[in-house]
Amino acid sequence: MKSSLLSLFLLSIICTTSCGHGEEDSFPTFRALPIPETLLFDNLLSFDYYHQRCPQLEQIIHTKLKQWVAKDHTLAASLLRLHFHDCFATGCDASILLNHEGSERRAEASKTLRGFQVIDDIKAEVEKSCPAIVSCTDILTAATRDATVLLGGPYWRVPYGRKDSRISNAKDAEMVPSGRESITTLLELFQSRGLNFIDLVVLSGAHTIGRTSCGAIQHRLYQGLNGTSSMPNPPLDDHYLDFLQRKCRCASGDYVDLDATTPTTFDSQFYANLQKNMGLLSTDQMLYSDPRTSPIVNSLIGTPSLFIHQFSASMVRLANIQVLSGLDEAGEIRTNCNFVNSYNN
């Protein structure tokens, strides 16, 4: 995994002791750091990449996205999830958008993803103004930022210049966390992609909005991590568990809010829920019980504004994972996000 100058600016750890070399009472505290306006990206991304060739890009994205979310507000959260799945599989390259047999999009792990039509609509409008200039990857990245803002979350500047992948394999979709991993496994996955344990905790906070299906949490409601216990492990609040078991009794197609308290507000209440054993996903609740991540959770509970500031930084880091840019021959600028250009031609 290549290093990035980005990490020098965005790593938000201020060590007060030994930065966690085994001592349980020695944890780093942290504060959110701003993203420098003059930041140089070592992968040739830049804030003004489209200023000359497609100056109306961000206005097109904002206008189109606002129209879609006005019709279906759940699409905003769906776009965040779509972007995460794209970046976490093989890097931010719009491989999740390719629609063919055996692609990531057709994988079992991707069957509940939504938002594809939104990106297609934005891309079609962009092509009218700036043909063959703007990548599907950049559109998805910027649309995710705008979706966050529409949800009441923070705004951040998006550096542009990503290219689109020509390859998409269903097996790569299985690399995206499913919500049943251990914290150790999650930390290893995030670190392998150039992210850190703060990014793990903060990006999990995207569960402040969005939903999951009853079918996806049956294991959480009726058995422990080893599959043998009849009680949830990690634990769930008794009243919350009763509500969930009644709502999802038949493992139907019903959906449950990931944040049971403020499900339509982009805030730090998600972390306060963990303090009350109301983390819907196992991996979310374990963030509060694991000594490597619980200090971060407690900081976000104690100072809610930290979440808003750090979320911007972590999203920029996420969107910088293994991007194709510059003269990289592995990438292209698709004219239709569903297919590689050789198919379109």
Side-chain angles (χ1 to χ4, degrees), residues 86-126:
D86 181 48
C87 292
F88 220 83
T90 58
C92 305
D93 57 8
S95 55
I96 192 64
L97 303 181
L98 288 174
N99 191 12
H100 60 75
E101 190 67 31
S103 66
E104 292 174 35
R105 182 169 173 174
R106 302 279 187 93
E108 181 69 16
S110 305
K111 67 180 183 180
T112 58
L113 292 178
R114 302 169 64 235
F116 298 102
Q117 289 180 308
V118 179
I119 302 303
D120 287 344
D121 188 34
I122 295 173
K123 175 64 171 176
E125 191 67 22
V126 170

Side-chain angles (χ1 to χ4, degrees), residues 249-269:
R249 182 176 295 111
C250 299
S252 64
D254 286 345
Y255 285 83
V256 182
D257 293 319
L258 290 165
D259 179 345
T261 309
T262 58
T264 60
T265 305
F266 195 97
D267 57 21
S268 63
Q269 182 61 43

Side-chain angles (χ1 to χ4, degrees), residues 1-13 33-36 39-43 193-196 199 310 313 316-318 320:
M1 180 67 64
K2 65 180 181 178
S3 62
S4 171
L5 292 178
L6 183 62
S7 61
L8 298 178
F9 293 96
L10 299 183
L11 184 59
S12 304
I13 304 173
L33 299 179
I35 304 171
L39 181 63
L40 296 176
F41 295 87
D42 65 348
N43 49 25
R193 286 152 179 79
L195 303 176
N196 57 52
D199 296 318
Q310 185 62 35
V316 172
R317 287 166 60 81
L318 173 69
N320 200 46

Side-chain angles (χ1 to χ4, degrees), residues 134-194:
V134 182
S135 70
C136 299
T137 313
D138 278 343
I139 289 174
L140 176 57
T141 303
T144 299
R145 186 271 314 277
D146 284 7
T148 303
V149 173
L150 288 175
L151 288 165
Y155 174 91
W156 63 90
R157 294 189 69 195
V158 172
Y160 294 113
R162 300 166 187 80
K163 287 187 175 182
D164 301 321
S165 174
R166 296 187 177 96
I167 301 172
S168 183
N169 295 309
K171 61 179 177 59
D172 292 328
E174 306 301 327
M175 301 167 65
V176 179
S178 65
R180 301 180 65 170
E181 296 81 6
S182 67
I183 294 298
T184 296
T185 297
L186 286 178
L187 286 171
E188 291 173 350
L189 284 171
F190 271 65
Q191 289 168 355
S192 72
R193 286 152 179 79

